[in-house]
Amino acid sequence: MRIKLLEGDGFNTGKFKGYLRNQYIDIKKGRYLKDDISHPLYSEKEFYFKRIYCLEFENKKVYFLNTFGKTDSQKGFHIALSEWQNQRFLWLQNRHWIQKEENIRYIVNLLFLVLGAYIAIKNIK
């Protein structure tokens, strides 16, 4: 998935000027590529990206991606994702709600409940 980088409007203003010209990153499973350099997005215990809930750009969700897997670093990139891009991004990073075990169990139990209710109603007639 190829995403354009955002350009900030000064230091700590909370505003973005727009997209950087010809500056892209490629998001892969567990990493992203910037200028053919691979940066991790998560390890076993921590994530090197975070969603910035207080920022929006063109009604898109804004994420901050740390460079080289450093969580204490202030260096990184901001990206803005549409709803579809956000779902794909979360899926690639194993953070989508449907990939969690308890949600899968809930969906399967719900399907069995609906199937059982259908069979019960069908047998009443």
Side-chain angles (χ1 to χ4, degrees), residues 32 39-42 46-48 66-73:
Y32 69 94
H39 302 268
L41 284 171
Y42 61 88
E46 53 188 343
F47 295 98
Y48 305 125
N66 291 313
T67 56
F68 301 112
K70 297 179 182 175
T71 56
D72 58 349
S73 172

Side-chain angles (χ1 to χ4, degrees), residues 8-111:
D9 187 22
F11 180 73
N12 204 16
T13 62
K15 296 180 182 177
F16 295 106
K17 289 182 186 176
Y19 294 105
L20 288 170
R21 184 178 287 172
N22 298 326
Q23 293 284 327
Y24 291 93
I25 60 169
D26 291 317
I27 297 178
K28 307 286 184 184
K29 186 173 179 84
R31 64 192 173 101
Y32 69 94
L33 299 169
K34 168 90 170 78
D35 299 328
D36 294 329
I37 299 172
S38 180
H39 302 268
L41 284 171
Y42 61 88
S43 66
E44 288 182 19
K45 296 182 180 177
E46 53 188 343
F47 295 98
Y48 305 125
F49 66 91
K50 64 180 174 179
R51 180 170 170 198
I52 312 297
Y53 286 94
C54 60
L55 295 179
E56 271 192 12
F57 181 73
E58 297 177 355
N59 292 328
K60 295 182 176 182
K61 294 160 178 56
V62 176
Y63 282 87
F64 180 75
L65 309 176
N66 291 313
T67 56
F68 301 112
K70 297 179 182 175
T71 56
D72 58 349
S73 172
Q74 297 300 319
K75 301 222 181 226
F77 305 105
H78 285 95
I79 58 172
L81 303 175
S82 67
E83 185 62 35
W84 174 249
Q85 290 172 330
N86 185 43
Q87 298 303 319
R88 285 184 57 203
F89 175 77
L90 293 174
W91 185 268
L92 286 172
Q93 309 320 317
N94 292 328
R95 299 274 297 169
H96 199 273
W97 68 271
I98 205 165
Q99 291 175 308
K100 295 181 182 175
E101 183 179 349
E102 61 269 9
N103 293 341
I104 293 171
R105 285 187 196 166
Y106 179 75
I107 291 170
V108 169
N109 287 339
L110 194 61
L111 288 174

